[in-house]
Amino acid sequence: MTLHDVTRAFEEIYPPAWAASWDAVGLVCGDPAQHVRRILFAVDPVSAVVDDASAWGADLIITHHPLLLRGVTSVAATTPKGRLVHRLISSGIALYTAHTNADTAAPGVSDALAAAVGLDGDLRPLDPDPTDTEGRRGIGRVGALPRPMALREFAAQAAAGLPETAAGVRVSGDLDRQVRTVAVSGGAGDSLLGAARAAGVDVYLTSDLRHHPASEFAEHDDTALIDTAHFASEWPWLADGAARLRGTLGGERANVETRVSTTVTDAWSQTF
């Protein structure tokens, strides 16, 4: 397989056209003609992930987060991102990003998150993509647990289903209240607090909730909140993305290996 073959197949699953207008997705560095035998999936394009890729002998890293989200005029090795670009190129490792196009896909990032925290059955978008006539794509998902449970039990279940991070999960609401319907959104989700309330769910699980919006939301006391680490809420998608890529490339017939990085790249390493 060439890098062109792999990226073409991946873009059949997660078309770049689905990405938000402000986003930066696609091939960051790499020669489309180079051969690809090993692909590492990771959330963040950081040095620890490149360490993983180099140690395994990966030819391509596919990350969820972009390396160069905003325009740059230089990738000189005088900055952390510039050094990473130089290191990737000198090591012959390509880098590809699928960000909001993977968020809105069905299945996408939030479908994997919903499964990881225990939602069962059909899911619908929390913020539907108006261009999808089937109504399946969009940001976030709304679904239900197999049975009602106390908020404390669901929070523990969610924490167990996600990668362990220093901060764990934070909960707002009566821990003994019964919850059944759940909205989830991988990554930063406080822009969808209103959508979660409008959906009438018992609990909304997302990441990067800020104090003031969360405090105002909690005053209504109709929907509990669970705040997870940003990295943790998006990590479950990696295995799904890898599996779907292998299937599109021909499954076991394709001479390509995939692996999900287990390196925790959450920004916070310790709590005191």
Side-chain angles (χ1 to χ4, degrees):
M1 292 282 175
T2 65
L3 178 59
H4 172 73
D5 296 330
V6 173
T7 56
R8 181 177 59 182
F10 199 63
E11 289 177 356
E12 290 177 10
I13 311 167
Y14 306 107
W18 290 353
S21 59
W22 51 263
D23 205 1
V25 302
L27 188 62
V28 179
C29 65
D31 182 350
Q34 75 183 70
H35 291 289
V36 173
R37 295 178 179 84
R38 289 183 167 179
I39 306 169
L40 182 71
F41 278 73
V43 175
D44 298 296
V46 294
S47 57
V49 167
V50 178
D51 290 342
D52 289 346
S54 297
W56 184 47
D59 308 293
L60 169 63
I61 302 171
I62 295 180
T63 62
H64 183 51
H65 290 149
L67 175 65
L68 304 170
L69 183 58
R70 295 175 178 82
V72 297
T73 58
S74 170
V75 290
T78 53
T79 66
K81 291 188 177 185
R83 286 193 293 274
L84 200 67
V85 171
H86 278 256
R87 186 177 173 196
L88 288 166
I89 293 173
S90 63
S91 301
I93 301 173
L95 175 64
Y96 185 96
T97 295
H99 193 209
T100 51
N101 50 327
D103 286 328
T104 195
V109 171
S110 290
D111 296 275
L113 172 59
V117 301
L119 272 63
D120 191 25
D122 294 334
L123 300 171
R124 69 180 191 275
L126 177 60
D127 182 25
D129 182 342
T131 68
D132 178 21
T133 57
E134 297 181 358
R136 298 178 61 242
R137 294 200 314 271
I139 303 300
R141 292 294 183 268
V142 177
L145 297 166
R147 61 174 178 83
M149 63 180 68
L151 177 59
R152 73 170 71 247
E153 182 182 355
F154 174 60
Q157 175 176 291
L162 298 175
E164 185 177 353
T165 57
V169 303
R170 301 185 296 180
V171 182
S172 171
D174 179 357
L175 293 176
D176 293 322
R177 74 190 298 172
Q178 293 291 295
V179 298
R180 179 72 184 270
T181 55
V182 182
V184 303
S185 185
D190 63 7
S191 64
L192 296 178
L193 285 167
R197 171 162 291 113
V201 295
D202 299 317
V203 58
Y204 177 39
L205 183 150
T206 188
S207 305
D208 294 348
L209 289 174
R210 295 171 295 156
H211 172 78
H212 292 295
S215 179
E216 292 169 9
F217 186 91
E219 284 296 297
H220 292 272
D221 196 33
D222 53 1
T223 304
L225 289 176
I226 296 181
D227 183 51
T228 74
H230 191 124
F231 156 83
S233 70
E234 294 175 329
W235 186 86
W237 168 75
L238 303 178
D240 184 58
R244 297 190 73 200
L245 176 59
R246 285 196 306 272
T248 303
L249 290 174
E252 294 182 358
R253 296 191 303 275
N255 188 26
V256 173
E257 292 182 73
T258 61
R259 177 181 289 184
V260 171
S261 174
T262 57
T263 297
V264 175
T265 56
D266 187 52
W268 310 107
S269 59
Q270 185 66 57
T271 56
F272 291 89

